[in-house]
Amino acid sequence: MKKMRYGLFFGDSITYGEYDSVFGGWVDILKRYALQKYHEGSHELILFNLGIGGETTEGLIKRISHEMGARNAADGNIVFIGYGANDLAIKNGDQMVDPELFEQNIWSAVQKARQYAEDIYLLSILPFSKRVDGVVVASGKLRTNDEAIRYNRILKKIALELEGLHYIDFHAAFEQDKELLLSPDGVHPNEKGYGIMAEIMIPVIEQYL
């Protein structure tokens, strides 16, 4: 008998797929892949893109319980959490969410998610282009690759400490070729970058198909 599960993707504009006019972002690629597999006879995995541009983990902990309560599959849920690129940013001289609060927020979000899901994936922050590393951009935000590494260490540590948590290292996949995989803004992936993210994630979602 076929199962029907939900996959819920929480994150910021990179989860949403901003600047990808070709594929609609990596989550949309996965949605199409899962639907194709279902038509070929696999279990049904319905994916929800819950990314919000500009969001930090402060927004995540306010909405995650409501979002999951509204989308709760009888056969189980899988949760993907991709935050940090906005949290680590400095704006008007202040870090939007400092490392200690970021860690607390991720822990809180994971605890809320575990009420609905056994499998939770923490997604690493991508590296930034050298063009914007340490530079105040048009949005008024300043980001550095050193901080991306620091926040990724926090995510990896949390993933190692709790059963049922998994860490997906997009950062390592982008690091060597980041200038080719990021859009002109130096923060968001381009179409090729989003495609790489989807390729990394396809084996993950195949476990549930």
Side-chain angles (χ1 to χ4, degrees):
M1 185 175 177
K2 284 190 178 182
K3 291 184 177 181
M4 183 185 75
R5 297 182 179 92
Y6 288 168
L8 294 92
F9 292 78
F10 292 94
D12 48 33
S13 54
I14 293 174
T15 298
Y16 178 74
E18 197 163 320
Y19 298 143
D20 186 353
S21 61
V22 178
F23 302 117
W26 63 282
V27 178
D28 276 16
I29 296 173
L30 297 180
K31 287 168 69 173
R32 291 190 290 273
Y33 181 85
L35 182 60
Q36 176 189 335
K37 288 294 183 179
Y38 172 68
H39 289 317
E40 292 172 357
S42 295
H43 295 298
E44 188 170 12
L45 179 61
I46 300 175
L47 305 182
F48 295 91
N49 187 336
L50 301 172
I52 296 178
E55 189 169 64
T56 69
T57 52
E58 292 282 86
L60 170 65
I61 59 173
K62 291 176 182 176
R63 70 183 176 102
I64 187 168
S65 294
H66 301 290
E67 300 274 24
M68 296 204 66
R71 303 169 183 85
N72 187 21
D75 292 320
N77 308 289
I78 308 105
V79 175
F80 303 86
I81 296 175
Y83 285 84
N86 293 311
D87 295 72
L88 62 78
I90 295 172
K91 190 169 185 178
N92 300 322
D94 294 316
Q95 198 156 35
M96 295 184 70
V97 179
D98 66 44
E100 293 75 19
L101 183 56
F102 177 74
E103 183 169 357
Q104 291 174 25
N105 288 345
I106 293 293
W107 273 106
S108 177
V110 166
Q111 296 304 326
K112 293 174 186 290
R114 293 192 93 170
Q115 297 177 36
Y116 298 90
E118 290 185 6
D119 288 345
I120 302 169
Y121 293 82
L122 302 183
L123 313 176
S124 77
I125 304 158
L126 298 177
F128 307 116
S129 167
K130 61 185 179 183
R131 300 188 306 277
V132 301
D133 185 10
V135 176
V136 178
V137 297
S139 65
K141 295 176 181 177
L142 181 150
R143 300 176 171 94
T144 69
N145 280 311
D146 286 345
E147 284 295 274
I149 292 169
R150 182 182 184 185
Y151 279 58
N152 279 338
R153 286 195 189 113
I154 293 170
L155 293 169
K156 194 169 187 177
K157 178 173 76 78
I158 293 172
L160 289 170
E161 289 178 358
L162 283 179
E163 187 177 350
L165 256 67
H166 315 271
Y167 179 72
I168 304 295
D169 195 353
F170 289 138
H171 188 282
F174 271 66
E175 181 57 33
Q176 187 171 351
D177 297 318
K178 62 187 176 186
E179 305 303 334
L180 300 175
L181 300 176
L182 294 171
S183 67
D185 77 348
V187 175
H188 297 84
N190 55 27
E191 291 85 358
K192 187 173 182 180
Y194 280 122
I196 294 291
M197 295 173 76
E199 286 178 17
I200 291 169
M201 292 302 297
I202 281 174
V204 174
I205 68 167
E206 280 184 336
Q207 301 173 70
Y208 308 99
L209 294 172

